[in-house]
Amino acid sequence: MTAMPLASRRFTAADQERFALLSGDVNPMHMDASAARRLQSGTAVVHGMHMVLWVLDTLARTDVSIDALCSIQVRFKKFVCVDHQASVRVLSSTSHAMKLEIVADDVSCVSLTLKFGPRVAAPHDTIDAVDIVPQQQAMARTLDQLHGSQGWLVPPVDARRLTTDAFPAATRALGIERIIALTQLSTLVGMVCPGLHSIFSELDVNIVNIVPDARERAGIGYAASSVDARFQLVTMTVDGSGISGDVIAFVRAEPVEPPSMASLTSRVIAGEFAGSVALIVGGSRGLGAVTAKLIAMGGGRVIVTYARGARDAEAIAADIVAERGRDACSTLQLDVTQHPLPDLTSAAGPATHLYYFATPQIFRQKSDVYSAATFAEFASVYLDGFCRVAEQLVGHVDGNALRVLNPSSVAVTSRPKGITEYAMAKAAAELLSVDLVKRYPGLRIDTPRLPRILTDQTATVSAVDSADAVETMLPLVRSLHAP
């Protein structure tokens, strides 16, 4: 049958704040756009349980009798980004069950199966564990630490009022205790188990009859029932306040930190990059951060630019300055898509080298083979942005002797699934580099096709073979700086 649209909305940063207050889930992937840029989503994403409760509240405002709801099954397949349009559609509906999906950016992101009928009684053997009160920082726990973990999540102090205000129809239909318990599933995954480095995968819970004793202890209990190191997966049983079932979550990859300056001492020859002034565009993380440290360790001066990651750029600079002195590094905010660009020569001086690592989010959620809008975004950075930065710098170097590293990618030839636009833009950037060299005598641009290297953008839940950043970049830097 044709999917029937039910409702649409954009979850804003203000919506995130409100749900965080009522649930207690303040995981940075939902609340901090700067921190989220270093995660797999690349930007802040909507709480999964917020969307589930939005669907329940929307249904409760229609002729669907969710007061007869007896089970909820949800699979979170893709992220829904903050400020992106999300739509819920009914896929099928009978008197006993309803299947729905949440779609964003033309991709099915969440699937829901709701079942209706008689409810079972709450389990007799409830989880008996110590209280975990709401906290401001998510726990950072490894798979080993999750083995056998358990606890009882206590709701935030004002949860009853905030939950009633946020989901009034669902609260009337299912009861305030159950709605609060469902919000706490978000807190369980995002703050406690796995906690900071987590991705909510699935839930399968029954709506149970609340026995009198269950009301005496507000909140929900959890116990980690299994931990699968192969897939970085933890399964938990949950019980309390009118719900009982299972929750599954991934332990996601942590942000990839660049090596410390101290660790590079034995790998870089003292003074081998002395006399160079390198503008590192996109130097606040990933290959840009690694390259900045390599050049600085070798005696060069670096200017680290950032678009959004001010804190990360300052941390890179602080490590360099502590090792090489105040003049070794400075930072500069630079969005290469802005028009006009700031005067880079006033900040960088007569730069001898340009390293161009600016990049949008590489891996995207999409349904089509090709997206013109996605290609335009890549082109604005890899083509237009690069050309304008290079042309501004090339005229301020004696004899136009500007040396540039504009890295390409093996994706141009290997073409991994889903990154057609990225590969096309990188191929076009190679051609642009050739023509810029023809236009400006003395200009040198290297466009090596880099292999997959472990960075924030390439880190995945399951381990994937990736090259070492230092081993890959150091020979390229040496080649570009050679007399």
Side-chain angles (χ1 to χ4, degrees), residues 323-401:
E323 184 74 26
R324 302 298 304 170
R326 185 177 299 277
D327 294 335
C329 181
S330 59
T331 63
L332 172 69
Q333 184 171 18
L334 173 64
D335 180 352
V336 298
T337 64
Q338 73 183 76
H339 291 268
L341 289 175
D343 182 4
L344 300 177
T345 57
S346 63
T352 59
H353 294 76
L354 166 64
Y355 288 84
Y356 195 82
F357 296 104
T359 184
Q361 187 71 13
I362 296 174
F363 298 97
R364 306 295 184 95
Q365 299 176 172
K366 62 176 187 174
S367 57
D368 297 327
V369 172
Y370 170 76
S371 164
T374 300
F375 177 76
E377 185 179 348
F378 283 123
S380 70
V381 175
Y382 297 148
L383 302 176
D384 182 46
F386 171 69
C387 186
R388 291 188 298 129
V389 169
E391 288 192 319
Q392 186 181 139
L393 293 180
V394 74
H396 295 271
V397 181
D398 292 339
N400 291 333

Side-chain angles (χ1 to χ4, degrees), residues 223-462:
S225 55
S226 70
V227 177
D228 190 335
R230 297 172 302 167
F231 304 106
Q232 298 288 102
L233 204 64
V234 57
T235 301
M236 297 157 276
T237 58
V238 295
D239 175 46
S241 301
I243 68 169
S244 179
D246 297 300
V247 167
I248 301 175
F250 289 105
V251 179
R252 62 170 167 75
E254 299 181 27
V256 179
E257 299 298 337
S260 67
M261 288 289 286
S263 71
L264 298 176
T265 303
S266 62
R267 307 183 72 170
V268 180
I269 301 170
E272 65 175 310
F273 307 130
S276 62
V277 179
L279 180 67
I280 316 293
V281 178
S284 65
R285 60 172 176 162
L287 298 183
V290 171
T291 301
K293 290 190 174 187
L294 289 172
I295 295 171
M297 181 56 73
R301 183 164 75 87
V302 294
I303 300 91
V304 173
T305 83
Y306 63 91
R308 292 183 292 158
R311 289 178 300 188
D312 295 319
E314 292 298 336
I316 298 298
D319 190 27
I320 292 174
V321 168
E323 184 74 26
R324 302 298 304 170
R326 185 177 299 277
D327 294 335
C329 181
S330 59
T331 63
L332 172 69
Q333 184 171 18
L334 173 64
D335 180 352
V336 298
T337 64
Q338 73 183 76
H339 291 268
L341 289 175
D343 182 4
L344 300 177
T345 57
S346 63
T352 59
H353 294 76
L354 166 64
Y355 288 84
Y356 195 82
F357 296 104
T359 184
Q361 187 71 13
I362 296 174
F363 298 97
R364 306 295 184 95
Q365 299 176 172
K366 62 176 187 174
S367 57
D368 297 327
V369 172
Y370 170 76
S371 164
T374 300
F375 177 76
E377 185 179 348
F378 283 123
S380 70
V381 175
Y382 297 148
L383 302 176
D384 182 46
F386 171 69
C387 186
R388 291 188 298 129
V389 169
E391 288 192 319
Q392 186 181 139
L393 293 180
V394 74
H396 295 271
V397 181
D398 292 339
N400 291 333
L402 179 68
R403 298 188 174 194
V404 181
L405 183 73
N406 183 24
S408 187
S409 170
V410 294
V412 170
T413 51
S414 63
R415 306 290 298 281
K417 181 180 178 181
I419 59 172
T420 298
E421 301 87 352
Y422 169 77
M424 290 169 62
K426 280 295 187 182
E430 293 179 14
L431 297 177
L432 173 62
S433 296
V434 171
D435 287 350
L436 284 172
V437 170
K438 292 178 180 178
R439 171 68 176 81
Y440 298 100
L443 175 64
R444 170 182 170 181
I445 305 178
D446 290 357
T447 57
R449 290 180 177 176
L450 301 184
R452 184 182 180 119
I453 302 171
L454 182 60
T455 65
D456 291 338
Q457 291 233 40
T458 62
T460 56
V461 171
S462 300

